[in-house]
Amino acid sequence: MDILFAHNEKKGEKFTEKLKGKNPGFICVIGNTETAKIPGISVAGANPEITDFTPAADCELLYFGECKCIPGVPITPDGIPTPGLITMSALNLVDLSKLVVIGGVRVYPQIPYVEVGGSPGGDIRTGKAVKNVKEVITRSTLLGENLAKYCKNLNYLVIGESIAGGTTTTLGVLSAMGIEGKGKVSSSMPINPHKLKEEIIELGMKSANLEFGSYKNDPIKAIECLGDPMIPACAGLVLGAGKKIPILLAGGTQMTSILAVVNSIDPKVLNNLAIGTTRWIVEDKQSDIKGIVDQIGQIPILAVNLDFNKLKAEGLKAYERDIAKEGVGAGGTCIAALLKNENINTEVLLVEIEKNYDLLMKKK
Amino acid sequence: MDILFAHNEKKGEKFTEKLKGKNPGFICVIGNTETAKIPGISVAGANPEITDFTPAADCELLYFGECKCIPGVPITPDGIPTPGLITMSALNLVDLSKLVVIGGVRVYPQIPYVEVGGSPGGDIRTGKAVKNVKEVITRSTLLGENLAKYCKNLNYLVIGESIAGGTTTTLGVLSAMGIEGKGKVSSSMPINPHKLKEEIIELGMKSANLEFGSYKNDPIKAIECLGDPMIPACAGLVLGAGKKIPILLAGGTQMTSILAVVNSIDPKVLNNLAIGTTRWIVEDKQSDIKGIVDQIGQIPILAVNLDFNKLKAEGLKAYERDIAKEGVGAGGTCIAALLKNENINTEVLLVEIEKNYDLLMKKK
């Protein structure tokens, strides 16, 4: 089975039926935060300071097959390569279009990108996480509406993200909105630092003078206090496009903050969404994406059934030891590739991924 | 006749046949230059300094039906409204998608927009007009490729511009590339200041130490010395998308600089292009778009046959007295609207334009 129907299976099957053979556009929303630099919170970069470069480098990888703003490709401190490598392989196999949207970054990618009025995020321990949230949602909603119009009846969008520390800010937004995320958000690390994340959220809530659920009906405030700049840009896109076309939210537990925000602003849009992720997320014992989704709505979760144990490359085998897991829309773009062309299966994806891994490691 | 086949008629007819019923995307490329502020060069704003606001305001008009960065709408010193009003009417009638690409501006619109690495243009009398031209072309080519992929076999792009002083910088690029534009570029003013434009170009050529045709085969240098930031961004889009899908270049004589640049970099792409403009351009006695196009290639020129003499509003009737004429893709978007829906004719367009004019004048 190439695609696992991991949750709300029947709806998931119906959702994928609609998308078969279609030619979606891939959007990657990127952001930087100071939260990501708290020691122990993210391995989306060889060290905390370099996490600012990771999203830009990920996007450059998708465009050029190599990064421009850093040498090599984004890696964990242990040298495990970015899941952007999986995304790049999936996009190349079926020649999908791509567009990068800036949530708010310190480091810009050297590619065309869309601005929607955002700026980089702060440290959520201060309770002041993101500025200009309402305006960003407004502008990215307009972008989503226009992208949907561009090809109304024929397409769907796959929307992924690259932002370090994103599961912590997701826990922040969920908590502010009264959705239980403790122990449930995932991590790019083999040992999920749940306790550290909870301490950070507690500090942030204290600073912002709020409690669990204080902003149940105010997603904008929730993001402003405890979120990250990817969230409003991504939520706006979903709100704008999801009224017209289906959307595959390509990411792990981070995408549940998008679901929560969208549900609060325009719940009908949820009917047009599914989460598309990796097997490493849905089988992860240290997180619980289904447990979060169930608090929001009956949204299908699809997972690409990639088995990196079959590969030779040690850097990729590490994905089977709970490292990295998801990011840059890796799972969702693989699902889009599988749905677009029936000659593509997970074996084809594995070959392409290992080929690109070898090419990139040689360049290094 | 709603669409005039003004030049290379047979090719123009074939071109429109392909586009009938299609659902194009509209792109508006915007820029600011110091050249536009030379007294007597542009009326795209109530005074020279305010020309920096005009492109941003034009784009906001398309998104919101009103401007955000200025009160009212862009007008000439005599109070004649921007052709963006025509564009807005055409886009609304057929619900076309829109995307704004920043060539290089001082004033950003309060909408989503795409950056391709550009910056505002200088005064071409210095011979240093635009920075980073090659990088902008590279990035906007990538954007064009991705937009074309988004809906490969079904669509086309309509690409317009909003930049004050753009016919002067077009004359600059044409001259540097050895294409005769003297006395042939158009103007938003009733009396075309040909002599002033030629003096400006001469100063610029002297400053850059070049002669007519010095950069015949080097469009990048030609833009760097005498162009404007709209040109590389627009040319890149055409180069990237025009390999895959048809493109209607929505503008007057300014679009001939795009043709010249594209012809020099990838001449095959010209086969996939037409110019779409207004009757006021093709019938203008003070300019000669056909005479410029003929020096580059057999590119069809289409013109929307709008007759503003039929309208009551004095601000619109002025268009029949050689004011404004074209801009913000006015002519091309009207042609796209006519081609998309056979129930739309120029009478329908006129009604919509006058309705929007009245609404906007009331707001003022």
Side-chain angles (χ1 to χ4, degrees), chain A residues 274-315:
Chain A
I275 285 180
T277 187
T278 61
R279 180 175 58 80
W280 306 303
I281 291 290
V282 295
E283 292 186 351
D284 182 29
K285 292 195 171 59
Q286 297 180 73
S287 68
D288 179 14
I289 190 170
K290 300 173 196 174
I292 307 174
V293 167
D294 281 342
Q295 298 172 67
I296 302 167
Q298 286 192 301
I299 294 102
I301 303 175
L302 317 172
V304 61
N305 194 9
L306 291 175
D307 183 355
F308 279 8
N309 282 317
K310 295 179 182 169
L311 301 179
K312 280 181 205 132
E314 286 305 323

Side-chain angles (χ1 to χ4, degrees), chain B residues 158-303:
Chain B
V158 182
I159 307 183
E161 53 66 40
S162 176
I163 182 165
T167 56
T168 306
T169 42
T170 285
L171 179 60
V173 169
L174 293 175
S175 301
M177 293 185 72
I179 295 163
E180 194 53 81
K182 277 188 193 170
K184 297 184 196 296
V185 292
S186 68
S187 169
S188 54
M189 288 182 263
I191 310 290
N192 192 328
H194 284 304
K195 195 151 174 296
L196 176 59
K197 290 179 188 176
E198 287 160 29
E199 284 166 12
I200 291 168
I201 303 303
E202 252 167 58
L203 285 172
M205 287 182 131
K206 201 173 279 177
S207 299
N209 199 16
L210 62 89
E211 288 169 7
F212 183 84
S214 287
Y215 291 139
K216 193 171 168 29
N217 299 311
D218 195 340
I220 289 166
K221 279 268 169 56
I223 300 167
E224 277 173 355
C225 294
L226 296 175
D228 67 50
M230 182 279 289
I231 298 171
C234 187
L237 279 165
V238 172
L239 287 163
K243 280 178 288 189
K244 298 277 176 67
I245 58 174
I247 291 176
L248 187 62
L249 275 172
T253 55
Q254 277 177 264
M255 288 305 177
T256 61
S257 61
I258 309 300
L259 295 180
V261 171
V262 168
N263 187 40
S264 176
I265 295 176
D266 190 355
K268 286 187 313 295
V269 170
L270 290 190
N271 297 324
N272 230 359
L273 303 186
I275 286 181
T277 188
T278 61
R279 181 175 57 80
W280 306 303
I281 291 290
V282 296
E283 291 185 353
D284 182 29
K285 291 194 170 59
Q286 297 180 73
S287 68
D288 180 14
I289 189 169
K290 300 172 194 173
I292 307 174
V293 167
D294 281 342
Q295 299 172 65
I296 302 167
Q298 286 191 300
I299 294 102
I301 303 175
L302 318 172

Side-chain angles (χ1 to χ4, degrees), chain A residues 35 38-39 41 123-126 168 171 175 182 193-207 226:
Chain A
T35 309
I38 301 171
I41 223 50
D123 179 334
I124 60 172
R125 290 176 300 189
T126 65
T168 306
L171 178 60
S175 302
K182 278 188 192 170
H194 284 304
K195 196 154 174 298
L196 175 60
K197 290 180 188 176
E198 287 160 28
E199 284 165 10
I200 291 168
I201 302 303
E202 253 167 59
L203 285 172
M205 289 183 129
K206 201 173 279 177
S207 299
L226 296 175

Side-chain angles (χ1 to χ4, degrees), chain A residues 94-116:
Chain A
V94 287
D95 197 30
L96 291 196
S97 77
K98 48 197 170 280
L99 190 65
V100 167
V101 175
I102 306 294
V105 294
R106 286 184 198 288
V107 178
Y108 280 90
Q110 295 171 34
I111 55 166
Y113 53 77
V114 188
E115 287 275 13
V116 288

Side-chain angles (χ1 to χ4, degrees), chain B residues 91-167:
Chain B
L91 295 180
N92 288 352
L93 267 179
V94 288
D95 198 31
L96 291 195
S97 76
K98 47 197 172 283
L99 191 65
V100 167
V101 175
I102 306 294
V105 294
R106 286 184 197 288
V107 178
Y108 280 89
Q110 295 172 33
I111 54 165
Y113 53 78
V114 188
E115 287 275 14
V116 289
S119 47
D123 179 334
I124 60 172
R125 291 176 300 190
T126 64
K128 289 175 187 165
V130 191
K131 289 177 193 155
N132 217 19
V133 168
K134 204 175 163 199
E135 177 71 13
V136 171
I137 292 181
T138 302
R139 290 198 202 176
S140 57
T141 301
L142 289 169
L143 179 64
E145 283 172 2
N146 278 283
L147 290 174
K149 246 183 237 177
Y150 191 52
C151 201
K152 244 182 280 205
N153 302 310
L154 283 153
N155 258 294
Y156 65 104
L157 288 178
V158 182
I159 307 183
E161 53 66 40
S162 176
I163 182 165
T167 56

